[in-house]
Amino acid sequence: MKVLIVDDDREVRTLGLLSLRRAPGWSALAAADGPSAIELAGRESPQAILLDVQMPGMDGLQTLAALQKQASTSTIPVVFLTAQADDDDIARYRQLGARGVIRKPFPPLQLPELLLAALDQKA
Amino acid sequence: MNNSVIVVSPASQLLGLVIEASGEHEEHNILVAPTLAEGRLFTELLAPLALLVDAGLGKEPQELLLAAAHVVGARPTILGGEGDPQSGFRDRIPATPESIRASLAQLCTYQRPASDNDDPLAVIRARYANSLGQKATDLAQRLAAILSDPADSAANQAAQKLAHRFRGSAGTYGFPTFGEVAAAIDNALLDGPDPQDARLHKAASQLALWSTGANPLATAWPVLSLSGGQLLLGELAAHSQGLRVAVKPERQGTTHRGCIGRIVEVDGFDRATTAATGTSETPTTIINTTITTIDSMDDSAIPVDQARERRLLVGADEVQIAATGERFARRALGDRLPALIESWISAPR
């Protein structure tokens, strides 16, 4: 499983990369903002994208929309990472095309399992 | 190595006992946390050598404090009560001056557990832990800027961005209490900055220790000297712990460096003195000592002309500010003390 994690907080990216790369057979790459994520996703074709919602500049929702418009990335499942989301927000994210939501803080060493569970929810 | 000890107790008497006993162990910095939230936050941010937890706290608060101690490698110790310590705690210290004194001495030799080499997160978690004090300082300063000027939208955005960031990362790294404080600020600012918002004031109070420096125990604190009993000692420590003030018991012949004022317990005030002139009234009796003693007290750490000005007389029911003669009810001590201490700290020396 190749995963792209997108978060403007370096400390979350570091922890996410470490956690994802520990899982056997998994690889991970990271981007710090929306434009970099779109470019990296188009080039690297990850099998899933973990996307922070609140980022400066292009936020997670705008990034998701851009990924959906780009042919090479439109089918990559996106799971939102968010520190602040109520049930209405989560329902809205799903309507927009997100496959799931993982709330921050999360147990770091369980991130691969959380991601699989989030992907399975609609699969 | 940080040699601080955090004591979590809502009981003034118990806090006073620890502070009194710690006076003989200057190698330890004692930080008082009168509430569970402060106890957890201080433990996360300061990584103390030991965490002393009041046996009177309930099971759930004790477990939360135990978890905080475990993350930073602090020795979890129960203070007071009887029998074996609760599960997870290393020791129980009986609530007597002798036992507390002996236990603090033993803590001098305590070695923290070595890092768990099997923990893949140990290195980056340690790096995050080392930055927590600075993170708290940054957040406290941004919050103070908003509270002083809520119309400053740039300051609001900067604070909200920082709070949101820490909200997401702190708990993930194993520091949930700091994350909860950040979340409270994030939520309050998203609703619109309101200087009356209780959530912001509570967070500011919790972060007060870090508002002027990344580690409150790494720099010399101004000192309040106290002549009086353990109840008042603990009461003052609980009220002043967020003000970068150390409360030290007064002992004959001792001079506390950096002393900014003295608090003296008295058992009454002389009603016959000259209230009409606005001069302060005279305490009739000092607890455990006499009026002669207070007049000859060693005030060498404070300039002579200010020594009498920076003195608070605490009676059983009333408190008197020596400089102005103003009196107020003792139950209001907690509300009045912060402003009074701030005025002593900020006044020219």
Side-chain angles (χ1 to χ4, degrees):
Chain A
M1 171 83 104
K2 184 197 261 187
V3 182
L4 168 63
I5 181 167
V6 187
D7 200 304
D8 61 310
D9 187 345
R10 178 184 55 80
E11 286 168 323
V12 172
R13 292 198 305 274
T14 302
L15 200 57
L17 284 173
L18 195 152
S19 178
L20 294 166
R21 286 171 178 166
R22 283 186 73 248
W26 287 52
S27 62
L29 53 161
D33 54 51
S36 305
I38 295 162
E39 191 274 326
L40 204 54
R43 181 154 45 91
E44 296 286 338
S45 300
Q47 292 158 282
I49 298 176
L50 270 170
L51 181 58
D52 185 25
V53 174
Q54 188 171 324
M55 294 188 291
M58 179 183 271
D59 67 17
L61 301 179
Q62 292 168 321
T63 304
L64 172 63
L67 287 165
Q68 288 169 334
K69 279 185 190 165
Q70 184 171 272
S72 60
T73 55
S74 61
T75 59
I76 302 173
V78 171
V79 171
F80 276 129
L81 267 179
T82 178
Q84 191 178 40
D86 58 25
D87 291 345
D88 290 343
D89 290 328
I90 291 173
R92 186 164 58 92
Y93 297 160
R94 286 184 181 283
Q95 277 184 341
L96 291 170
R99 284 286 288 273
V101 172
I102 295 174
R103 292 176 196 264
K104 292 190 274 190
F106 53 86
L109 294 180
Q110 293 170 26
L111 187 57
E113 290 84 351
L114 291 171
L115 176 58
L116 288 176
L119 291 172
D120 276 350
Q121 282 172 14
K122 200 179 169 184
Chain B
M1 175 63 77
N2 184 355
N3 64 350
S4 60
V5 173
I6 292 176
V7 51
V8 188
S9 171
S12 298
Q13 188 92 37
L14 203 52
L15 294 177
L17 274 172
V18 176
I19 293 161
E20 174 77 25
S22 70
E24 297 177 14
H25 297 280
E26 293 292 344
E27 64 272 27
H28 280 120
N29 292 302
I30 305 291
L31 187 62
V32 162
T35 68
L36 172 66
E38 285 162 333
R40 294 174 68 205
L41 184 66
F42 296 171
T43 302
E44 287 184 3
L45 294 178
L46 273 176
L49 192 63
L51 181 65
L52 309 187
V53 178
D54 188 337
L57 290 174
K59 186 181 176 194
E60 190 180 343
Q62 287 183 4
E63 285 176 351
L64 289 168
L65 288 163
L66 195 57
H70 177 72
V71 167
V72 299
R75 188 180 181 92
T77 302
I78 284 285
L79 186 58
E82 293 175 349
D84 292 334
Q86 285 86 328
S87 174
F89 285 89
R90 296 283 299 272
D91 321 280
R92 178 190 299 284
I93 304 176
T96 65
E98 298 76 19
S99 300
I100 293 172
R101 209 171 289 131
S103 297
L104 288 175
Q106 276 186 345
L107 280 174
C108 296
T109 60
Y110 175 63
Q111 298 289 320
R112 286 174 201 268
S115 301
D116 182 356
N117 291 331
D118 294 331
D119 180 358
L121 303 181
V123 173
I124 60 171
R125 185 176 278 149
R127 192 171 63 190
Y128 193 91
N130 288 338
S131 71
L132 266 179
Q134 189 58 52
K135 285 178 164 65
T137 299
D138 294 344
L139 191 55
Q141 289 172 346
R142 298 272 166 84
L143 182 54
I146 290 173
L147 289 172
S148 66
D149 183 7
D152 186 340
S153 60
N156 182 38
Q157 277 186 355
Q160 196 268 328
K161 183 180 170 189
L162 202 62
H164 187 79
R165 205 181 106 201
F166 296 155
R167 172 186 202 162
S169 64
T172 306
Y173 272 87
F175 303 94
T177 317
F178 183 56
E180 289 162 17
V181 174
I185 297 171
D186 188 21
N187 288 337
L189 296 181
L190 281 174
D191 292 343
D194 174 3
Q196 305 302 321
D197 192 319
R199 292 171 294 180
L200 293 181
H201 284 279
K202 184 178 177 189
S205 166
Q206 290 173 320
L207 293 173
L209 278 172
W210 284 266
S211 60
T212 54
N215 183 348
L217 296 180
T219 54
W221 282 17
V223 174
L224 280 179
S225 286
L226 176 85
S227 299
Q230 281 145 356
L231 186 64
L232 183 59
L233 197 60
E235 198 178 340
L236 290 173
H239 290 314
S240 62
Q241 50 78 28
L243 295 164
R244 301 181 60 80
V245 174
V247 177
K248 297 279 187 184
E250 187 86 68
R251 290 194 176 80
Q252 198 167 11
T254 62
T255 300
H256 295 302
R257 299 186 66 178
C259 184
I260 55 162
R262 297 185 189 284
I263 298 182
V264 181
E265 193 165 30
V266 301
D267 70 356
F269 300 100
D270 181 359
R271 304 273 173 195
T273 49
T274 54
T277 65
T279 57
S280 61
E281 298 182 11
T282 309
T284 52
T285 312
I286 311 296
I287 300 289
N288 296 330
T289 179
T290 68
I291 196 166
T292 309
T293 310
I294 189 172
D295 286 335
S296 62
M297 213 162 58
D298 178 9
D299 280 317
S300 58
I302 311 175
V304 173
D305 60 339
Q306 294 174 354
R308 287 177 179 282
E309 298 297 309
R310 298 180 183 178
R311 184 177 289 164
L312 198 65
L313 307 172
V314 182
D317 302 315
E318 282 186 304
V319 178
Q320 186 178 64
I321 302 171
T324 62
E326 180 196 350
R327 286 188 193 167
F328 56 87
R330 178 163 169 165
R331 64 177 177 277
L333 184 60
D335 294 333
R336 298 292 301 270
L337 200 60
L340 186 69
I341 291 175
E342 286 298 341
S343 73
W344 286 351
I345 290 175
S346 57
R349 302 291 299 274

